[in-house]
Amino acid sequence: DTLKIGFNIPLTGDIPDVGESSKNAAELLKKQVNAAGGVEIGGKKYTLDFVYEDNESKAESALSAARKLITQDKVIGMVGPQSSKQAVPAGETANELKTPMIAPWSTNPNTTKNRPYVFRACFLDTFQGPVAAMFAKQEFSAKKAAVLYDIASDYPKGLAEDFKAAFEKINGPGSVVAFETFTTKDVDFSAQLTNIVKSGADVLFVPQYYNEVPLIVKQAKALGWKNPILGSDSWGSGDLMGLCGDDCKGFFFVTHYAAAGAQGATKDFIDKYQAAYTKTPDDVAALTWDAINLLLTGIKNAGVTGDVAKDREAVKDALQKVKDFDGITGKMSFPSGGDPVKCAVVVKIDEQGKFSFFKSVCP
Amino acid sequence: MLLEIRDLRVKYGNIEALHGISFHVEKGEIVTLIGANGAGKTTTLHSIMRLPPPEAPKVLSGDILFEGMSLLSTEPHDVVRKLHVALVPEGRHIFGNLTVMENLTLATYARKDGASAISADLDRVFDLFPRLAERRNQRSESLSGGEQQMLALGRALMSKCQTLLLDEPSMGLSPLLMYEMFRTLKRLNEQGLTILLIEQNARLALRFAHRGYVLDTGEIVASGSSAELAADPAVKKAYLGG
Amino acid sequence: MESLIQNILNALQWGSFYSLIALGYCLVYGVLSLINFAHGDIFMAGAYFAFFGATFLLGKTGVIPPGMPGWAVLALTIPISMILTSALGVTLERVAYRPLRRKGAHKLYVVITALMCGLVLENGNLALFGASRKNFPTLVPQIVYSLGGVSVTNLKVAVILVAVLSFLFLHYVVGKTKIGMAMQAISYDRFAVPLMGIPTDTVIVFTFVLGSSFAALAGVLFAMSYPVLDPFMGALIGWKAFIAAVVGGIGSIRGAFAGGFLLGFVEIMVVAFFPSTFRDLIAFSILLLILSLKPTGLFGVARRTKI
Amino acid sequence: MRRCIVPLVTVSLLGLILAASVTDAINFYWQSVLMFMGINIILSTSLNLVNGNMGEFSCGHAGFMAVGAYVSSVLAVALFAPGGFLGGPYLPGYLTVFAFPLLLLAGGLAAAVTGLLVALPSFKTRGDYLAIITIAASYIIKSTIENVGAVGGARGFMGMAKITSAMTEVWNIPWMMLWVFAAVVFTLVVIRRYVSSTFGKGVDAVRQDEIAAEIMSVDTDRVKLVTFMLSSGLAGIAGGLFAFVLGYINPGSFTIIKSTEAMVMVYLGGMGSISGAALSAVAFTLLMEVLRPMQVGKWVIIPMMLILLMQFRPEGFFGHRELTDIFPGLRRLLGREESGK
Amino acid sequence: MALLDVVNLTRDFGGLRAVCEFETRFEGRELLGLIGPNGAGKTTVFNVVSGFYAPSAGEILFQGKSTAGLKPHKVTALGIARTFQNIRLWFDLSVLDNIRVSQYYHLEYGLWDCFLRTERYKRREAAIAANAHEILEALNLAEYAGELPKNLPYGLQRRVEIARALSVKPKLLMLDEPAAGLSSADVDDLIKLIGWIHKEFDLAIWMIEHQMDVVMKLCTRIQVIDFGQTIADGTPLEIQANPDVIKAYLGDDAI
Ligand SMILES: Nc1ncnc2c1ncn2[C@@H]1O[C@H](COP(=O)(O)OP(=O)(O)OP(=O)(O)O)[C@@H](O)[C@H]1O
Ligand SMILES: Nc1ncnc2c1ncn2[C@@H]1O[C@H](COP(=O)(O)OP(=O)(O)OP(=O)(O)O)[C@@H](O)[C@H]1O
Ligand SMILES: [Mg+2]
Ligand SMILES: [Mg+2]
């Protein structure tokens, strides 16, 4: 027998690397499990059957993909979407169609809010924002900060606001001296950066995706920015260093795990991943890995009856009860709904261009 | 023989427009094609010029010979630049976004002879149509109908052609200019220009041409010298009007 | 004040890209009255060709030994990209547009075909080279000149200069040469062009070569200024450049040039002084306003119909 | 008898679809596909009015769709959604069943008014200049929505699912399917009546020779205005349906890409052919779904197919003709005598 | 009250004065000719009268009312119809539809009638179609009603254009070179047709034409203009003998 799990991931569109990483991690896990004969549930072995749907990194496609996975492919649970822009609307559908969904990478609070069927495998922006603000204060003794973010995307917008609130709480109102915005797909940030450079901020917070960061960093330098730049977990995915090169070295970002210097199960995962795809897994890959395992744990705990609707219900209940799940990105519990309690890591981009562990912050 | 059409059949889309016509034009002659509206006169000229579809027809069979050589695989611009044939098209087709002067200059695109020969020709055109000289820097789309016709003719004269195909050149011209134009063409013909003329005013055409052919729905129904045709009672009745 | 000057420089650079792309739109439009919606993607292809050319010449593919100096790579990359991109542009014309013209298809069908060609280029690229972004190598080290709070880079100056020179060149070709006149003639009445002894197809191919190679030039400069390449990089800027070309007066070289800079200025200045979310709103409202005051654009001439 | 055929066929088709949906003979996924098909039919036939019949080149249809989508869903959520924003609900949930068409019409009306604003400059400009007026307008609409925080700005707007579930609480049938179907029928009837009247023929006259039309007593400004408003109003209705079928909208859904899809459907079917536009909307939607597993490949294959198709049929599937012109038997069946024959 | 009174009409294009202080007057149902060399400004006069161009100076009174500031379709609605120097039919609408659309001003129903197919709509559409058929019948075009004009021979296209102009029920019909491009045989038919229309439809006709047999046979009075100014005005016989006209326009037909 098989267990059908759906993936709602951005294989094309704005952040295809994210989709690719997710798919890589999933395939790796599937091979590993199926090679061992499948997962054992109630004394019976089930092989894994993964269905990948491309959400084109668009909200409405994520919705359609979710509908298709749930009603056409009849998956028992869904992993993804990855970014909040898609996860927020897709979560609504999953919840409505009573299917468990785990968003590995979506940090926006709305994704899981009032949705018993929706879970995530990462911390929230409301946690990440303050972590970044604290770090800026402690590490750079920053009194004034600037933020540049994409206003048209849930994730950067939410995080930028959370950061601003936290930073102003620490340094007083008005301490975020430049709060500049752009819109998805922009490539020229010269006007915003001109304002930021002029504002005299001590640090620039850029909660953007890996494909936008290099442009921002390079243009900032060309316009005379000399202070540190601080990033968020979205920096860690994809080919940041391949695109950014030397320009990003020395900067910090908050993330879920640090690949360089990892140990135990995490190292094991990293090695296998590297062997299979000749690159270091990014946090999306790691979180996806965790999300799948989380879902499998839920399924194992719930048992499989063959009636999809009943199973989904049971899996949801089981997931809510998960305690101290030992993921490669840290321990997770779900004390309050779908959001795990877990630690964040601050990573420094070192001179070799590696993401090296700098410090860990727990709630 | 300068130009010979042999059993030419052409079609537009799926409609055959010429059903096998044959005629010829000798060097130095003025030949006219007359016939009712829609008989296929324009179609014939477009075929000779090898203009590309969709506006021009496709040859089904037959041949078009120029000095004994088939034109069927010749490009239209080569008909102009290599064989020195020019066409004054029906409906003028002037380049409205260019000025009068630019239109005339463009017609010399393929000419290799010097600037002085070109400016002599320009003078000749302006002599014939003084109105064009007055309007030389006007965008040609705002010219009056007759002025546009003058420009279309002037353009053909600028291309230093040795064979001139005329499709209703008098359309829209005032009587005075029309006669003036025919007189000039006659003079040019005496200097060696070969002319194939289509003219709705058949009486006038037959007065002007040496020989003529009568075309009726894609077929040639009569031919002969102008005098013969003008005297033919059938032709008279059908084409020369009351 | 400093930031105003800084933003003027920013706008000049950004406008240069709009202008260069708009010029290509304008050339093709000027001849075929065809909105070549694939032009933005031809620009993208130019950037990619440059990327492949540069990585090849830098020795990263292993075919030739590494070690060629950056400026030499750049000097070779530009013509390579221009030639390959022209070939692409001409291929589109031969394969997709010309047969349609021959069949006498309605103009808008050709436009839709162009739109589809653009999609094929974008997604074909994505399918062929994968989803990861490409990083355009740094060929010439960036030098930042700081003059009293205003930063200029060598690249910025080069971009602006190239845009201006390209405009002057095209302005000369279209306005003052016989082939330029032939191009204008084709746009008005294609039927009569061969009657002037002008090989229509040759002139059209020439136009595509010209338009595509300037798109390639823009692509190279763009890749150097914004070195993260992705298959959709041409889409948005392409649409906007088209809008700029129309506001300038489509079909007019001067118009395309001015329109490009106008759009660049409006966008940068809006972002500099208003929240950036107002950019499209304000920029396009201004453009609409211009069009409603001057329906044929800044430099366009209406095609008057004589009745 | 003949007069009844069309309504009869329509009603039984609706019954069939509803029955199939209720019994789950077609699952929710295919139901959505069917609904998107209907929405696409409205989009393409309405755009066809402007791009096909009037011969303008409007590239901003998605903008009008956005207006309709936002107006009807914001109204609906404000009025009916429990705990909706603006402190609602103001009306009891069971009323949704009756209010829904009105909400859609409100969206359509708002879109039509927007269309009016776009049409005004079109009196002066034509052709390719109008193309950019419409593109710019759609950018402006999108940008405006992004700037209105109250409706979620760039992050989109949700809550419509509550309205649709309120409807099912009254009577458990696939309501959205019903509404989409009704809207499609409404659109086709309105458009057909419009273009076959002498009033509507004025649109064709404007396309073919605007100057002649003006001089031969056609009030060209009025014709353009009405056609534009009709077209954008219907697009607004399509937008409203889109919002409710999806349950979530965001300004990013109404970009040039969406407009491009609508244009493709129009030109695929053949400019100015209603049945062409409708059938190509059906074909296009199916194609998009069938090729979904190809991922990126889909977006290479579909344009390639279109390019090829253009080479063989450079006037679209139907050219300027209708289904009834191609199958004259159909016309007899429908009992429709073509005027003038 | 005169049908049409053109007073002191001037029209400039940039620096060019195309029409200069032009005057004419239709008392009743005359058939007037307007001739003159190419570029004399004849078509421009028509364009101004039909409202396509605004006059630079002067006034046009139709049945005593000024047409200043009226859009062309309003002018047409007053009862001034015209044909064009180059045929401007709607080539992709059937001949019948060409005639139907040009009765646009007489629709007399609104958009709602159209959507709801009210009685009024049906009545009006029927009347419009009937009127169209009547006109086609009268001009011997009935058999071509379903054809597209682009598929008709040139001579018939001219005829359809005249039919279309007639369908607006004009009181004044302006014909701009109706015989241009017609073969000699067709010209004879055209002369008969215009004469018949003039009688049958009880309207005034104003005609520009370069073919002298047409003008001379049909017109009761001919006005000659050159450089926008009237140089002669009189009966065909007077005009033919006028030396100015011969010099500027008629020429002598020796080839
Ligand atoms: N582009 C075209 N496509 C299809 N049919 C055409 C085309 N041009 C001409 N025809 C048809 O071919 C036939 C011959 O037309 P052609 O123009 O050669 O006649 P003509 O003798 O020049 O007439 P006219 O005196 O009106 O100029 C006509 O029946 C016409 O309808
Ligand atoms: N829109 C315009 N802009 C500039 N000049 C114009 C315009 N329309 C007409 N003209 C000029 O005005 C003059 C009169 O033109 P018009 O068309 O009235 O002449 P016409 O008497 O009808 O001549 P034809 O007998 O050749 O048709 C011409 O010299 C023409 O160049
Ligand atoms: Mg002809
Ligand atoms: Mg005239």
Side-chain angles (χ1 to χ4, degrees):
Chain A
D1 280 28
T2 56
L3 280 181
K4 221 176 195 181
I5 295 177
F7 287 80
N8 190 337
I9 47 179
L11 292 164
T12 61
D14 292 337
I15 44 170
D17 276 13
V18 168
E20 204 176 285
S21 288
S22 326
K23 194 172 171 184
N24 284 346
E27 285 290 294
L28 190 66
L29 188 129
K30 186 172 89 175
K31 265 196 214 113
Q32 190 179 324
V33 170
N34 285 353
V39 265
E40 197 178 304
I41 302 169
K44 205 168 146 198
K45 289 248 178 186
Y46 290 85
T47 49
L48 295 181
D49 179 8
F50 288 177
V51 188
Y52 304 102
E53 273 301 321
D54 179 19
N55 63 30
E56 299 162 6
S57 193
K58 286 196 290 195
E60 70 271 23
S61 302
L63 264 170
S64 316
R67 277 184 186 170
K68 173 145 190 266
L69 286 171
I70 292 169
T71 63
Q72 170 90 348
D73 298 318
K74 305 232 177 326
V75 298
I76 194 163
M78 180 167 82
V79 174
Q82 298 289 14
S83 43
S84 304
K85 185 175 172 185
Q86 290 99 43
V88 175
E92 173 122 340
T93 299
N95 194 50
E96 201 180 312
L97 296 173
K98 301 197 176 12
T99 306
M101 157 179 148
I102 305 185
W105 196 50
S106 162
T107 50
N108 191 296
N110 289 334
T111 307
T112 55
K113 203 159 143 197
N114 298 330
R115 292 171 181 170
Y117 285 86
V118 184
F119 301 83
R120 73 176 103 214
C122 52
F123 49 65
L124 268 71
D125 291 341
T126 42
F127 172 59
Q128 181 176 192
V131 167
M134 275 310 285
F135 183 79
K137 170 82 181 165
Q138 290 166 359
E139 196 61 32
F140 313 127
S141 2
K143 293 208 170 47
K144 288 187 280 180
V147 182
L148 175 61
Y149 69 98
D150 177 358
I151 196 167
S153 187
D154 274 308
Y155 163 76
K157 182 167 191 279
L159 187 49
E161 280 160 4
D162 289 329
F163 174 86
K164 182 169 189 249
F167 194 86
E168 296 199 329
K169 206 164 144 203
I170 302 170
N171 298 293
S175 56
V176 172
V177 285
F179 199 62
E180 293 287 330
T181 61
F182 65 91
T183 315
T184 320
K185 290 194 176 153
D186 283 357
V187 292
D188 186 275
F189 311 102
S190 53
Q192 292 96 327
L193 288 167
T194 301
N195 288 349
I196 287 173
V197 170
K198 197 186 62 176
S199 73
D202 302 317
V203 61
L204 170 60
F205 181 59
V206 180
Q208 286 307 132
Y209 294 102
Y210 67 93
N211 54 340
E212 292 146 336
V213 174
L215 292 176
I216 296 174
V217 169
K218 287 180 190 206
Q219 288 175 37
K221 290 191 168 174
L223 286 165
W225 175 263
K226 297 199 177 60
N227 294 337
I229 300 181
L230 180 61
S232 61
D233 66 312
S234 51
W235 280 39
S237 61
D239 193 18
L240 179 73
M241 294 318 291
L243 295 177
C244 195
D246 292 343
D247 288 313
C248 284
K249 287 178 183 164
F251 293 149
F252 296 82
F253 63 91
V254 181
T255 188
H256 308 273
Y257 93 131
Q263 286 150 8
T266 314
K267 181 161 173 18
D268 191 41
F269 163 72
I270 292 171
D271 290 345
K272 277 195 196 125
Y273 191 97
Q274 246 163 352
Y277 306 110
T278 63
K279 59 179 166 192
T280 318
D282 51 21
D283 59 345
V284 176
L287 288 169
T288 307
W289 179 277
D290 274 354
I292 305 170
N293 275 325
L294 203 56
L295 188 61
L296 290 179
T297 309
I299 298 174
K300 263 186 231 161
N301 294 351
V304 179
T305 63
D307 179 341
V308 186
K310 244 193 221 146
D311 286 347
R312 287 174 179 166
E313 185 76 28
V315 171
K316 173 206 73 173
D317 293 338
L319 277 173
Q320 281 173 344
K321 293 193 194 90
V322 168
K323 275 231 164 52
D324 290 337
F325 168 82
D326 203 3
I328 55 174
T329 61
K331 278 207 183 351
M332 290 180 233
S333 310
F334 295 86
S336 54
D339 301 327
V341 179
K342 63 190 286 194
C343 304
V345 172
V346 178
V347 148
K348 179 175 184 179
I349 304 176
D350 63 19
E351 280 311 305
Q352 284 81 49
K354 289 246 161 25
F355 299 160
S356 61
F357 179 83
F358 192 77
K359 78 197 269 194
S360 174
V361 185
C362 288
Chain B
M1 235 174 319
L2 183 73
L3 181 67
E4 186 184 4
I5 311 298
R6 253 192 223 155
D7 209 19
L8 185 70
R9 282 172 58 222
V10 303
K11 62 166 186 178
Y12 289 103
N14 297 321
I15 302 163
E16 195 169 307
L18 297 179
H19 315 290
I21 60 163
S22 303
F23 68 92
H24 69 273
V25 181
E26 301 285 349
K27 200 165 169 52
E29 257 190 325
I30 301 178
V31 174
T32 182
L33 283 179
I34 55 178
N37 291 125
K41 308 181 293 291
T42 304
T43 304
T44 309
L45 294 195
H46 287 182
S47 308
I48 296 173
M49 292 306 291
R50 311 301 315 121
L51 286 168
E55 293 92 346
K58 218 164 132 169
V59 173
L60 285 174
S61 69
D63 209 345
I64 304 163
L65 301 171
F66 191 86
E67 293 178 331
M69 297 219 308
S70 173
L71 285 187
L72 289 187
S73 55
T74 313
E75 293 282 323
H77 53 92
D78 283 336
V79 175
V80 177
R81 49 163 75 190
K82 299 217 175 105
L83 308 179
H84 305 288
V85 182
L87 168 70
V88 177
E90 182 180 50
R92 303 164 197 146
H93 290 283
I94 54 155
F95 303 116
N97 55 342
L98 302 180
T99 63
V100 170
M101 200 58 200
E102 285 171 331
N103 266 281
L104 294 174
T105 318
L106 203 58
T108 65
Y109 193 87
R111 279 178 72 161
K112 301 248 158 34
D113 49 356
S116 62
I118 291 178
S119 78
D121 279 354
L122 193 63
D123 288 342
R124 192 176 66 182
V125 169
F126 283 158
D127 265 355
L128 177 58
F129 304 121
R131 197 24 101 81
L132 289 186
E134 283 168 35
R135 297 269 184 275
R136 67 171 81 196
N137 290 323
Q138 186 170 333
R139 248 168 96 92
S140 55
E141 66 189 348
S142 58
L143 293 178
S144 83
E147 288 164 345
Q148 292 185 0
Q149 187 65 46
M150 294 176 212
L151 182 56
L153 252 164
R155 237 175 22 179
L157 296 180
M158 289 300 293
S159 72
K160 198 174 166 69
C161 53
Q162 287 151 17
T163 312
L164 185 57
L165 313 185
L166 297 161
D167 201 345
E168 304 187 19
S170 70
M171 180 160 159
L173 287 187
S174 73
L176 176 78
L177 265 180
M178 179 170 79
Y179 299 129
E180 186 67 36
M181 177 194 74
F182 276 115
R183 275 193 289 267
T184 308
L185 288 175
K186 194 97 197 175
R187 214 169 44 239
L188 290 172
N189 169 254
E190 277 152 16
Q191 291 163 16
L193 183 71
T194 311
I195 295 175
L196 176 57
L197 170 78
I198 289 175
E199 182 53 64
Q200 289 296 0
N201 190 336
R203 250 170 297 166
L204 191 65
L206 289 178
R207 250 163 70 195
F208 174 66
H210 302 131
R211 284 193 304 122
Y213 293 88
V214 179
L215 204 57
D216 189 4
T217 50
E219 277 167 283
I220 290 190
V221 292
S223 64
S225 74
S226 296
E228 280 164 17
L229 284 178
D232 184 332
V235 174
K236 227 174 175 166
K237 183 160 179 294
Y239 302 103
L240 302 185
Chain C
M1 188 60 211
E2 276 156 22
S3 62
L4 184 68
I5 296 175
Q6 180 71 60
N7 276 321
I8 289 177
L9 282 169
N10 295 342
L12 281 174
Q13 183 192 18
W14 189 232
S16 297
F17 289 115
Y18 281 139
S19 280
L20 277 171
I21 301 173
L23 284 174
Y25 264 113
C26 166
L27 276 173
V28 173
Y29 187 91
V31 174
L32 295 177
S33 303
L34 159 70
I35 307 172
N36 185 14
F37 277 133
H39 192 72
D41 300 300
I42 291 193
F43 155 81
M44 176 274 291
Y48 268 77
F49 284 133
F51 166 76
F52 289 120
T55 42
F56 176 80
L57 292 170
L58 282 172
K60 291 195 180 157
T61 46
V63 182
I64 57 166
M68 198 186 285
W71 59 265
V73 172
L74 180 63
L76 285 173
T77 301
I78 292 179
I80 288 177
S81 164
M82 285 172 85
I83 290 169
L84 290 176
T85 314
S86 306
L88 178 69
V90 172
T91 310
L92 286 190
E93 138 71 9
R94 293 294 289 256
V95 174
Y97 309 157
R98 188 184 292 182
L100 280 185
R101 274 207 311 278
R102 289 269 159 86
K103 294 196 181 92
H106 190 286
K107 186 177 106 183
L108 291 183
Y109 282 97
V110 191
V111 175
I112 291 297
T113 303
L115 205 55
M116 294 301 113
C117 288
L119 285 179
V120 170
L121 286 182
E122 285 169 11
N123 295 290
N125 176 336
L126 189 63
L128 270 181
F129 302 118
S132 332
R133 304 294 199 267
K134 301 274 179 286
N135 174 34
F136 194 79
T138 315
L139 298 177
V140 187
Q142 175 158 298
I143 306 169
V144 184
Y145 308 99
S146 272
L147 308 160
V150 177
S151 299
V152 201
T153 61
N154 45 355
L155 192 58
K156 219 169 224 170
V157 177
V159 168
I160 299 168
L161 220 61
V162 167
V164 173
L165 290 178
S166 305
F167 159 68
L168 291 177
F169 173 73
L170 290 178
H171 191 61
Y172 171 76
V173 169
V174 173
K176 299 283 181 308
T177 62
K178 250 186 194 174
I179 193 158
M181 222 183 273
M183 285 158 71
Q184 294 182 45
I186 291 178
S187 80
Y188 196 87
D189 192 334
R190 200 175 308 142
F191 174 81
V193 170
L195 298 179
M196 306 293 107
I198 300 169
T200 316
D201 285 336
T202 315
V203 177
I204 291 176
V205 165
F206 174 76
T207 314
F208 273 88
V209 167
L210 218 54
S212 309
S213 45
F214 278 96
L217 192 60
V220 179
L221 292 170
F222 193 85
M224 290 169 69
S225 314
Y226 309 100
V228 176
L229 307 188
D230 84 287
F232 300 100
M233 61 187 272
L236 191 65
I237 196 172
W239 282 101
K240 289 193 172 172
F242 162 60
I243 294 177
V246 176
V247 170
I250 189 154
S252 141
I253 296 284
R254 256 189 310 167
F257 184 69
F261 275 105
L262 180 74
L263 184 59
F265 259 88
V266 174
E267 285 200 356
I268 294 283
M269 292 304 163
V270 170
V271 174
F273 299 108
F274 295 91
S276 78
T277 39
F278 287 153
R279 186 190 57 199
D280 286 358
L281 192 65
I282 298 182
F284 289 120
S285 303
I286 291 178
L287 299 189
L288 278 195
L289 198 70
I290 292 177
L291 269 193
S292 58
L293 294 178
K294 213 163 172 320
T296 52
L298 293 175
F299 293 99
V301 185
R303 180 175 178 152
R304 255 172 304 181
T305 358
K306 179 80 173 64
I307 63 171
Chain D
M1 179 55 213
R2 285 237 170 102
R3 295 180 62 98
C4 299
I5 287 185
V6 179
L8 227 77
V9 169
T10 314
V11 168
S12 37
L13 192 64
L14 173 65
L16 206 71
I17 292 177
L18 284 185
S21 312
V22 172
T23 56
D24 226 16
I26 40 178
N27 64 29
F28 188 51
Y29 166 68
W30 282 107
Q31 288 173 32
S32 324
V33 173
L34 270 182
M35 287 189 274
F36 282 123
M37 207 177 267
I39 293 169
N40 279 342
I41 291 177
I42 303 179
L43 271 185
S44 74
T45 45
S46 63
L47 180 63
N48 187 33
L49 269 183
V50 170
N51 283 30
N53 290 74
M54 202 155 71
E56 299 281 14
F57 190 49
S58 163
C59 317
H61 217 47
F64 304 120
M65 208 183 154
V67 172
Y70 268 88
V71 168
S72 45
S73 37
V74 167
L75 266 183
V77 171
L79 290 178
F80 292 105
F85 73 137
L86 297 184
Y90 293 104
L91 295 172
Y94 65 84
L95 271 185
T96 46
V97 177
F98 309 100
F100 193 74
L102 296 178
L103 290 170
L104 278 187
L105 282 180
L109 213 62
V113 172
T114 320
L116 173 85
L117 296 180
V118 178
L120 288 177
S122 81
F123 295 161
K124 287 198 202 157
T125 41
R126 259 196 78 100
D128 303 320
Y129 286 96
L130 193 75
I132 85 129
I133 290 183
T134 51
I135 297 178
S138 78
Y139 268 113
I140 291 177
I141 291 168
K142 177 169 170 269
S143 190
T144 308
I145 298 173
E146 280 171 358
N147 279 301
V148 181
V151 298
R155 305 163 83 175
F157 184 77
M158 276 206 287
M160 289 77 89
K162 296 186 191 123
I163 315 297
T164 29
S165 55
M167 281 191 262
T168 41
E169 269 158 34
V170 178
W171 188 23
N172 194 4
I173 57 162
W175 278 99
M176 283 319 297
M177 188 68 91
L178 180 77
W179 295 129
V180 171
F181 194 91
V184 169
V185 173
F186 172 79
T187 305
L188 292 179
V189 167
V190 163
I191 292 183
R192 206 200 119 86
R193 291 193 163 176
Y194 183 64
V195 299
S196 64
S197 70
T198 300
F199 192 104
K201 291 266 192 256
V203 182
D204 292 81
V206 168
R207 174 186 78 242
Q208 295 176 28
D209 192 333
E210 189 174 339
I211 292 173
E214 176 73 29
I215 291 185
M216 297 320 298
S217 90
V218 178
D219 186 345
T220 53
D221 285 356
R222 175 146 179 259
V223 166
K224 286 199 261 183
L225 201 73
V226 168
T227 312
F228 243 108
M229 289 182 69
L230 187 59
S231 164
S232 44
L234 290 170
I237 290 183
L241 289 167
F242 180 83
F244 281 90
V245 169
L246 211 55
Y248 165 82
I249 42 174
N250 122 7
S253 310
F254 306 102
T255 53
I256 300 270
I257 309 284
K258 193 99 217 158
S259 305
T260 305
E261 283 176 12
M263 286 193 305
V264 164
M265 290 184 275
V266 169
Y267 294 97
L268 185 68
M271 284 167 73
S273 161
I274 305 175
S275 35
L279 287 180
S280 69
V282 171
F284 185 78
T285 319
L286 278 180
L287 206 61
M288 292 281 273
E289 284 309 320
V290 170
L291 293 183
R292 194 184 268 284
M294 298 195 57
Q295 293 165 9
V296 204
K298 174 175 87 172
W299 283 107
V300 182
I301 299 282
I302 292 181
M304 287 265 209
M305 283 166 65
L306 278 169
I307 294 172
L308 269 182
L309 184 98
M310 298 278 171
Q311 306 294 333
F312 292 113
R313 285 201 70 88
E315 67 285 335
F317 270 131
F318 283 31
H320 228 288
R321 297 170 303 170
E322 292 293 342
L323 207 54
T324 46
D325 298 331
I326 297 168
F327 302 109
L330 199 61
R331 179 183 311 145
R332 239 172 295 128
L333 191 70
L334 297 176
R336 202 168 266 151
E337 33 158 337
E338 205 60 10
S339 45
K341 298 272 165 77
Chain E
M1 181 176 52
L3 179 71
L4 178 77
D5 207 350
V6 179
V7 189
N8 210 5
L9 185 73
T10 299
R11 168 72 208 199
D12 300 328
F13 295 108
L16 181 82
R17 180 150 290 192
V19 178
C20 178
E21 295 176 358
F22 176 86
E23 305 234 345
T24 203
R25 196 177 162 86
F26 277 78
E27 289 299 344
R29 312 278 179 239
E30 299 114 302
L31 206 169
L32 297 193
L34 181 62
I35 62 174
N38 295 116
K42 307 178 292 295
T43 301
T44 308
V45 169
F46 273 23
N47 286 345
V48 176
V49 171
S50 61
F52 186 68
Y53 289 147
S56 304
E59 207 175 11
I60 298 153
L61 300 168
F62 189 72
Q63 295 182 313
K65 280 200 292 281
S66 168
T67 66
L70 290 187
K71 295 198 149 198
H73 70 264
K74 288 269 159 64
V75 175
T76 309
L78 291 179
I80 304 183
R82 68 172 288 182
T83 65
F84 300 92
Q85 186 163 357
N86 305 313
I87 296 180
R88 300 191 83 113
L89 287 167
W90 300 301
F91 288 100
D92 284 321
L93 277 180
S94 70
V95 168
L96 180 73
D97 283 343
N98 264 278
I99 313 289
R100 276 171 63 196
V101 173
S102 49
Q103 300 175 56
Y104 193 90
Y105 193 75
H106 305 283
L107 281 186
E108 290 165 19
Y109 63 75
L111 206 52
W112 296 113
D113 297 309
C114 165
F115 291 147
L116 302 175
R117 295 280 140 120
T118 56
E119 271 314 307
R120 174 153 59 165
Y121 170 86
K122 287 179 187 152
R123 214 171 46 236
R124 287 304 309 154
E125 285 283 346
I128 284 168
N131 187 32
H133 280 293
E134 208 172 286
I135 286 173
L136 290 179
E137 208 68 62
L139 295 200
N140 281 332
L141 286 167
E143 57 180 309
Y144 306 107
E147 300 277 344
L148 299 185
K150 67 175 173 191
N151 297 331
L152 294 179
Y154 192 83
L156 282 178
Q157 292 182 3
R158 278 278 180 213
R159 193 181 279 250
V160 174
E161 215 187 18
I162 294 174
R164 185 178 68 172
L166 283 176
S167 72
V168 298
K169 303 207 175 111
K171 301 186 184 78
L172 170 65
L173 176 64
M174 304 196 289
L175 303 172
D176 196 348
E177 300 198 28
L182 292 189
S183 63
S184 310
D186 285 341
V187 171
D188 292 341
D189 286 348
L190 182 81
I191 294 174
K192 284 188 207 116
L193 179 72
I194 294 176
W196 179 79
I197 288 173
H198 186 222
K199 272 207 286 316
E200 200 70 13
F201 283 79
D202 184 37
L203 39 63
I205 295 183
W206 198 7
M207 181 164 71
I208 298 175
E209 187 48 70
H210 286 304
Q211 298 200 20
M212 280 309 107
D213 16 347
V214 180
V215 191
M216 297 302 166
K217 271 186 200 148
L218 282 170
C219 299
T220 46
R221 206 185 86 213
I222 298 173
Q223 195 171 6
V224 189
I225 60 173
D226 194 8
F227 291 106
Q229 271 167 316
T230 307
I231 56 170
D233 193 346
T235 63
L237 285 177
E238 287 165 9
I239 295 297
Q240 264 172 315
N242 186 318
D244 285 344
V245 178
I246 292 175
K247 182 157 168 294
Y249 181 68
L250 291 175
D252 57 84
D253 68 346
I255 294 181

